[in-house]
Amino acid sequence: MKTLVDKLIENRTLTRDEFITLINSRNEEISEYIFENARRTSEKHFGKNVYIRGLIEFTNYCRNDCYYCGIRKSNANCERYRLSKEEILQCCKNGYDLGFRTFVLQGGEDGFFSDDDMCDIISQIRQAYPDCAITLSFGERSYDSYKRFFESGANRYLLRHETADAEHYKKLHPKGLDLENRKKCLYHLKEIGYQVGTGFMVGSPYQTVENLVDDLLFIKEFSPHMVGIGPFIPHGDTIFADEKPGSLELTLFLTGIIRLMLPNVLLPATTAVGTVDPLGREKSILAGANVLMPNLSPAGVRSKYLLYDGKICTGEEAAECRVCLQKRVESIGYKIVVDRGDYVPEV
Ligand code: SAM
Ligand code: FES
């Protein structure tokens, strides 16, 4: 099995069958071999640096009804909120003072915020923080909308493809949402000039190993600047309430593989990983991740942005998470840096 990993390191990909074999026959020894190499690769590009992104969850209203998601429109138990422009700018100020140089505006697909509203918010952040990156993550919009946001000063966009198998996509989403449009959005974002992040959930209902391999192959083909993966975690108010969560072990294994496929990609140790295991984020960094995305949203709204049950850091203030993360990262021999942490192409 080590020869397959060596081949992956050399070619930065494997065939579909080889990936299936690697995942199906993984064991502790092979995982450790992948993690060692993933750490070495990450260190070559980023040293022991870990980049931080300040997440501002600015609305939990959503027009969509993704079966897995706690803020889906038909969840009547979700207490809805929106942050005002002033509140968003205040989050950025707190974040800047704490050393964040990337702000991520994430939310449901909320029609309340028109393109004009978003352009206004983005350009005000751009004006106030010319040295910071602005990342957007609020779902599918038209080419023209994405272009306007980019021209207003946004630099990056996160849009997970969720699953690269069209049939599996249909089992996770209601009619009206399809993989084709999701992918089209991703290609539009790249064409416009954004640094683009995609990704998927590990262990989502009905997912097979073949689906995961298709995710890896899609990621290879699309070649994103960032990849976000995390275990699926059920939310009690969704139709997947009784499904079992995705495994940390498989998530880490795939994290290592992605680092070896895309050596310089920005790869977060996600909140979902920290939710399924108290040391999940540390383990993820040791498997090749190099980014953390703590929350800058006001403490009063955090517990309302519940995509899944048990989400960590809903009671903490931004400053508390910053200190906590510093300690966690240092405990494994890495350091958090005050830096935009842009994608740097390989020379
Ligand atoms: N609305 C935007 C979008 O669709 O890209 C951004 C917000 S969306 C809630 C962010 C991500 O949360 C999704 O891409 C999905 O992968 C993840 N997510 C949602 N529900 C989840 C769950 N139950 N477990 C794990 N991750 C989940
Ligand atoms: Fe939020 Fe540890 S990162 S409390």
Side-chain angles (χ1 to χ4, degrees):
M1 209 45 58
K2 276 193 178 174
T3 48
L4 263 192
V5 180
D6 292 338
K7 190 171 172 198
L8 168 63
I9 295 168
E10 191 172 324
N11 298 347
R12 298 186 176 182
T13 194
L14 292 174
T15 64
R16 195 164 186 274
D17 286 345
E18 287 168 336
F19 268 132
I20 293 173
T21 307
L22 182 61
I23 294 174
N24 278 334
S25 42
R26 68 189 190 280
N27 57 31
E28 227 172 277
E29 190 195 345
I30 210 70
S31 299
E32 202 34 62
Y33 188 60
I34 286 189
F35 299 157
E36 259 169 42
N37 282 287
R39 283 197 291 274
R40 197 171 307 135
T41 304
S42 176
E43 213 172 306
K44 189 171 147 222
H45 290 275
F46 309 103
K48 293 276 194 179
N49 293 344
V50 173
Y51 300 125
I52 48 171
R53 324 296 200 193
L55 194 59
I56 303 169
E57 295 160 338
F58 70 101
T59 174
N60 70 353
Y61 282 86
C62 192
R63 74 176 116 224
N64 290 338
D65 221 8
C66 307
Y67 299 148
Y68 46 83
C69 185
I71 63 169
R72 63 198 299 257
K73 76 167 176 217
S74 60
N75 179 9
N77 293 330
C78 174
E79 207 183 310
R80 306 286 168 173
Y81 74 90
R82 293 184 178 105
L83 298 185
S84 65
K85 180 169 75 180
E86 291 66 33
E87 287 172 311
I88 294 172
L89 286 164
Q90 185 57 46
C91 291
C92 295
K93 182 175 183 324
N94 293 348
Y96 194 89
D97 294 344
L98 291 169
F100 289 88
R101 295 296 177 267
T102 293
F103 305 121
V104 185
L105 293 181
Q106 190 178 81
E109 294 199 14
D110 182 359
F112 176 86
F113 291 95
S114 66
D115 286 0
D116 283 346
D117 293 331
M118 289 318 302
C119 288
D120 180 38
I121 293 169
I122 294 162
S123 45
Q124 291 223 12
I125 300 176
R126 172 53 58 236
Q127 223 175 350
Y129 303 98
D131 55 332
C132 292
I134 302 173
T135 304
L136 308 179
S137 177
F138 41 84
E140 300 173 21
R141 296 256 184 156
S142 68
Y143 182 94
D144 288 342
S145 302
Y146 286 150
K147 191 149 193 288
R148 287 192 59 198
F149 304 151
F150 188 76
E151 285 163 355
S152 299
N155 315 94
R156 308 181 187 146
Y157 206 103
L158 306 179
L159 187 76
R160 290 183 174 184
H161 65 277
E162 311 296 359
T163 170
D165 180 289
E167 286 309 306
H168 185 219
Y169 199 95
K170 279 191 202 151
K171 294 181 184 164
L172 302 179
H173 301 93
K175 261 205 178 83
L177 292 175
D178 59 58
L179 179 62
E180 206 182 323
N181 196 55
R182 198 84 179 165
K183 283 190 177 175
K184 192 169 84 188
C185 289
L186 284 167
Y187 283 100
H188 282 166
L189 290 161
K190 224 180 187 187
E191 191 186 319
I192 292 167
Y194 284 94
Q195 291 175 42
V196 184
T198 194
F200 57 92
M201 287 177 288
V202 178
S204 58
Y206 311 109
Q207 185 179 64
T208 62
V209 168
E210 285 75 9
N211 293 154
L212 285 171
V213 171
D214 287 341
D215 289 324
L216 294 177
L217 293 172
F218 169 68
I219 285 174
K220 187 68 194 173
E221 175 194 311
F222 181 65
S223 188
H225 308 94
M226 301 167 273
V227 178
I229 67 166
F232 158 76
I233 305 172
H235 186 294
D237 293 319
T238 65
I239 56 171
F240 290 153
D242 297 324
E243 299 286 336
K244 54 176 199 342
S247 103
L248 174 72
E249 179 272 322
L250 181 53
T251 306
L252 296 176
F253 192 77
L254 294 166
T255 301
I257 289 182
I258 292 168
R259 170 61 67 215
L260 296 178
M261 287 170 65
L262 303 170
N264 55 338
V265 81
L266 293 153
L267 191 51
T270 54
T271 305
V273 162
T275 298
V276 292
D277 181 327
L279 293 178
R281 288 167 294 178
E282 289 88 328
K283 291 177 185 171
S284 184
I285 292 170
L286 293 172
N290 70 322
V291 172
L292 286 165
M293 298 177 64
N295 211 316
L296 291 180
S297 310
V301 302
R302 283 184 188 205
S303 57
K304 298 179 188 161
Y305 198 87
L306 276 197
L307 310 178
Y308 44 78
D309 291 335
K311 187 176 170 209
I312 51 169
C313 301
T314 52
E316 279 75 12
E317 293 287 349
E320 292 176 75
C321 287
R322 179 69 179 79
V323 173
C324 169
L325 288 178
Q326 180 99 16
K327 284 195 200 139
R328 286 173 180 272
V329 165
E330 283 172 5
S331 76
I332 51 168
Y334 286 71
K335 65 175 189 297
I336 287 179
V337 287
V338 177
D339 194 308
R340 274 174 58 126
D342 279 299
Y343 177 82
V344 181
E346 283 187 289
V347 278

